[in-house]
Amino acid sequence: MTFEEFGLSPEILQAIAAMGFETPTPVQVEVIPRLLKNRGDMVALAQTGTGKTAAFGLPILHMLKHDLRSPQALVLCPTRELCVQITRDLEAFAAHTQGVRVVAVYGGADIQNQLRALKRGVQIIVATPGRMLDILRRGRADLSGVERVILDEADEMLNMGFQEDLEAILAQTPDTAHSLLFSATMPRHVAAIARKHMRDPEEITVGHLNAGAETVSHECYVVHQRDRYATLKRIADYYPDVYGIVFCRTRQETQTVADWLIRDGYNADSLHGDLSQTQRDSVMKKFRSRALQLLVATDVAARGLDVTDLTHIINYNLPDELGSYTHRSGRTGRAGKTGVSIVIINMREKGKAHQIERMINTEFAYRTVPTGREICGAQLLNHIARMKSVELDPKQIDRHLPQIYEALEGMSWKEVIQRFVSLEFETLLKYYQGAEDVRPDTGDSRSPARDGHQRRERPSGKGQRAERSGARLSVNLGTADDLTPRKLTGWISRAGGQYVRIGRIEIMDRRTVFEVPVDEAAALAQALGNTSFDGRTVRVEAAGSDRPRKPSGGPPRGKAAAKGKAPSKGKHHPSKRKPRGR
Ligand code: AMP
């Protein structure tokens, strides 16, 4: 089947060709001909990312009466982000069609602009239910000429409590309007809306009912509750090029996990309902541009975030409504790419995992948490692969080669590689050296499971204390002094006169706290105190009773940062994460 065979207008065909659409997706094959033939109401069970917007958008545009400037189609969707995205897509589909007017109507933005746009005359309204109802109550939109109503992500709209708003809006659309409801799942409340507001809807399912896209593989780690965060970290370390969303259950958990990741040096940030719209926009922009590798989010906040090339979805905790798992996993494996949806659970949650397996009609691949050695191996290979694929610029490099060859003279290629690896991975290798592996949760509560120097997770964010693997020393140096983990470890080893195994490092602006073996702490503190760092006099003291404040699961972002309480960002993870300009 081709787009031409649908009989769409040449202008629409030109626009979608320019967008790179070559063949219709399965949901488009099912939906487009039906809508073009006006075949009555329809319920389509389809996943996020399957091309739903074009499935309803192209026929709507094709059938639009361009000379009329009154609403002919109403698209309702759960979030502002999705609303903007659908509007953007419709405008792109209409790029070569004259006189198409689409307006996005959503909360959290100036209503006056939206009212003015409506007054100028529009043919398609894309709206979130709350704002649409507000506008209807003000008498500022007339839905009496609407011929098509699309309920996109209906299950999500109902999960978000929009049932009454939806009903009130639908009551203002003509009985003759055709409705099309999209949903990833078909829980009872969605079926009830369909029964009440649709006439004998034809039901189609694209792919398996509730199944994730086949391009997604599903993996599960069963670990002790206390190792959940350590597991997340190890997964992120094992996949250095990870670009994904970490889903949490609550806003507080989202903030806590994001704070911990930031503190541990990952390019991460949080997205949840406690943030202002400006903060959310800024986080999403950073994530879209890949300045962030990991976005820690709640289900609701991540809706409508249109990023097609996510490598991983990580379920830090399973959603309360297990049906949301398909929404989550559907965010990866999009646009023909493959993706991995990872679930971290404890033994008690195995029943839920089985429920999900039945729902998606696929079994999880049960995995053990990567060991330190596996992580180091994966990172080394990743680094080598990047080295192999780097574009060479001989003009720039050749002139320096004679000096480099001279400097390396007498060194075998094996030694060069050994030194290169030590230099690049010194901190990572040391970090994982001797770190105990995260063991699977087998239901035996006595089995120890720890992650070397990492502290354990306390999801509530209350009473957090680091897992002590050694003594903690504090030094009056920080990022303001250009201190990095590598400089710190080098300085400590030099001062100690031998290799010192260093645990967790927290670098703040003007102060750094690090862990060292208990029996070496006193001697080290003294040795370090007798040195200077880049000409600065240093003061080293025990940091036991004077712990720096930990991120506590939900201080308001702006305020905490302003008071200097936020953890320092991206400074001290052993894997030295940097935004990768992909
Ligand atoms: P949607 O489910 O509408 O959010 O679409 C998911 C992604 O797939 C969007 O980035 C679309 O631009 C893209 N897309 C939709 N239909 C096609 C198609 N037929 N060919 C290629 N990409 C498509």
Side-chain angles (χ1 to χ4, degrees), residues 3 16 19-28 47-56 58 82 85-86 89 93 152-153 306-308 334-336:
F3 281 110
I16 57 176
M19 292 171 77
F21 292 14
E22 286 168 10
T23 42
T25 65
V27 71
Q28 291 160 2
Q47 301 298 311
T48 307
T50 48
K52 287 181 297 163
T53 317
F56 66 76
L58 301 181
L82 190 55
Q85 180 199 321
I86 293 172
D89 283 358
F93 301 151
D152 196 12
E153 306 208 345
D306 184 32
V307 183
T308 46
R334 296 174 76 169

Side-chain angles (χ1 to χ4, degrees), residues 505-540:
I505 301 170
E506 292 171 56
I507 303 186
M508 289 150 278
D509 275 358
R510 301 191 179 278
R511 179 166 178 258
T512 294
V513 176
F514 54 95
E515 288 175 341
V516 294
V518 177
D519 47 0
E520 293 174 41
L524 254 180
Q526 197 178 10
L528 289 168
N530 289 333
T531 65
S532 63
F533 180 86
D534 278 355
R536 264 206 71 176
T537 314
V538 292
R539 221 176 39 249
V540 180

